[in-house]
């Protein structure tokens, strides 16, 4: 197992981690419902599954 020869300073460690950033997810607005959702993905709204502005499936009601 490899071990470091010298301790890595906090500055050097933090420099390496500068690229690990969170990015806000991009959102698209549905033309039919006006709901915001992730692009190229279906989403549920009021028991209906929408994709590209069309209803794909409706939720079953168990009696």
């Amino acid at each position: 197992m490899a071990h470091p020869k010298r301790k890595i300073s906090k500055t050097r460690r933090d420099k390496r981690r500068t690229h690990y950033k969170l990015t806000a997810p991009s959102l698209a607005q549905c033309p039919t419902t006006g709901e915001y959702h992730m692009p190229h993905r279906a989403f549920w709204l009021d028991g209906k599954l929408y994709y590209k502005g069309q209803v794909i499936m409706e939720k079953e009601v168990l009696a």
Side-chain angles (χ1 to χ4, degrees):
M1 183 140 168
H3 287 86
K5 198 164 203 174
R6 299 237 183 271
K7 179 179 177 178
I8 296 190
S9 68
K10 294 172 195 155
T11 306
R12 188 172 287 272
R13 176 199 66 199
D14 293 344
K15 279 186 197 175
R16 186 180 68 245
R17 293 180 181 174
T18 59
H19 304 291
Y20 300 154
K21 298 177 188 133
L22 281 178
T23 57
S26 60
L27 295 176
Q29 189 174 17
C30 179
T32 308
T33 62
E35 189 76 14
Y36 285 98
H37 60 94
M38 293 185 73
H40 306 288
R41 285 171 178 78
F43 65 98
W44 287 97
L45 181 67
D46 299 329
K48 296 179 182 176
L49 185 66
Y50 288 90
Y51 184 68
K52 292 186 178 177
Q54 296 178 353
V55 177
I56 303 299
M57 180 179 4
E58 293 194 22
K59 194 172 185 180
E60 284 186 17
V61 178
L62 298 175

